Every structure is written in structure tokens, then in C-alpha cells.
Amino acid sequence: MTTLTLTSRVGRRVGRGLGILVRNWLLFFALLGLWELGTRLAESPFFPPPTEIVASSAKLWFTGPASQLFLTDTVFDNVLPSLGRTLGGWLLAGVLGVALGVALGRSKHGMDYVGPLFAFFRSVPPPALIPVFIVLFGLGPGMQTGSIIFGAIWPVLLNTVDGVRSVDQVKIDTAKSFRTPRSYWVRSIVLPAAGPKIFAGLRLSLSISLLLMVISELVGSYNGIGRSLMDAQQAFDFPLMWSWLVLLGLLGFGFNAAFLAVEQRVLRWQPTRNGRI
């Protein structure tokens, strides 16, 4: 009887999981079908059907030798370098933003001095500063990484400051009364309390990093997704252009899904988290 009950519960859970999966992807496939039908009827060279884009993508990325897991040289020469720039710039922006945000959040008057300066630089669009980064770092990965860091650091920094300042005063007074070492206090009290806002800033900065990667590769880059996208546009190869656009969408979706999984695990102590963000 116990075995039957357990099997029944597992079956119900699997059924609910499949139902949620079908519900979440039903709209996507419906829109995909409408896109296919609309582009077939319009017969516009600028908007190829999804089936043509899929065929172009498969030829572009998955026709390599077996020794490369059937991945083409395009993946290694353009996709992987772009991923490295995106994640590298994002990680550096995250580390710098959290460290500086914790220091300013703990300071009583720190933001009074640097707040106007941050407001000024945060209002400057990062693409407008690409010529400045070219002068500072030259053409290449340094310029691209600098552009990503400059644009991605602000959500992390400002969210960290707000999170640190929102720590419960009772916890602060308790830590002071027990003469808790500052390093332990920051690591065990401040960072967990500010964690939700820090992760919100990191999630936003990840999407910004992906956008800035593409923009920075449009200028003075010899490889990368942004450069390949511009080459396809200039060659009027619209299926290829859409393949790169779809790849960017898939990367954004994958980054967001992976980040949410990490966030749910790190912040699982929060009673209000239900994994449906």
C-alpha cells in the first residue's frame, strides 16, 4: 500500500511538471507557428521563415568535425570569445560593485560625497564612451571589457548600497554588543541581508553585459557575435543575420535561467521565494 501511494504521488508530480512545461511553452510555439505562416505569406527577403533560420543556424554552428563535437570553427572563433568577454566583464563588474557597495553602504557619509558623481556617470550611455575606451585600452578585448564593466557595474553597486543600508538595526546593535569582528559581521549578517538586492542588481547587469558585448564588438573588433552580425547585415545575408539574432536571444534566456537557478539555491533561506520569478 505504501509503495502504491508513493508511486501515485510521484506520478502526480510528474504530471504537474509536464503540465507546467506544456503551459509555459505553448504560447512560444503558437507564436512560432504564426511567425512561420506570416513570413511565408509575406515572402519578404528581410524576414525569412523560422525554418529557414533554423537551417541556416544548423549549417553555421553544427557542421563541424566529430573531433570538435560537430561544432564549426565559427563557434570557437566568434561565439566563445564573445561569451568570455560578456561573463568576464560581468564578473569583474559584480566583484567591484559588491565590494564598493558594501563599503559605501556601511559608511555614514560616503554616498553624500560620491552620490552626485555616480549620478553623472550613470547617466552617460556606455556606447558613447567607446571612443574613450579605445584611447585608453586600444582596439581589442580591453576596450570591450572596459565598456561592459562601466555599463554593468551601476545596478550592482547601487543595489548593494541599498541592501546594506536596509540591514535591520537590531542585528547591527546585537553585533556591536557582542563585539563581533567586522569581517565576520559583513560576511554573516550584512551580505545575507543584502543578498536579494545584490542578486537583483547582478541579474540586471548580466543582461546589460550581453547588450554591451554586441555594441562594443561593432567597433574595431575582428571577431565575435557583434562583428559577425554586422558582416551578415552588410552582406545582405538575412537568414544568417537572423541566426545571430536568435543566438543572442537564446544566450539571454540561458543566462537568465542559469542565474535564477543559482539565485534560488543561494537565497533558499527566504520563506517567500517560490521559484516563479
Side-chain angles (χ1 to χ4, degrees), residues 173-197:
D173 295 337
T174 303
K176 289 181 178 179
S177 64
F178 282 99
R179 296 182 179 179
T180 304
R182 288 191 175 185
S183 59
Y184 180 82
W185 176 64
V186 171
R187 184 177 66 254
S188 302
I189 297 177
V190 174
L191 288 179
K197 289 193 175 183

Side-chain angles (χ1 to χ4, degrees), residues 218-242:
L218 296 177
V219 181
S221 178
Y222 300 100
N223 64 352
I225 296 176
R227 180 68 186 186
S228 301
L229 177 62
M230 185 174 64
D231 290 342
Q233 179 185 7
Q234 292 177 346
F236 299 100
D237 191 341
F238 296 110
L240 182 61
M241 183 190 74
W242 278 96

Side-chain angles (χ1 to χ4, degrees), residues 61-117:
W61 301 316
F62 302 110
T63 55
S67 59
Q68 297 181 176
L69 300 178
F70 300 101
L71 297 176
T72 62
D73 293 335
T74 302
V75 175
F76 296 97
D77 296 338
N78 294 287
V79 179
L80 294 185
S82 293
L83 291 179
R85 293 162 191 155
T86 302
L87 296 178
W90 174 69
L91 288 174
L92 289 174
V95 171
L96 293 174
V98 171
L100 188 57
V102 170
L104 291 173
R106 292 177 57 199
S107 174
K108 290 183 179 180
H109 305 290
M111 285 299 293
D112 295 336
Y113 294 105
V114 300
L117 190 64

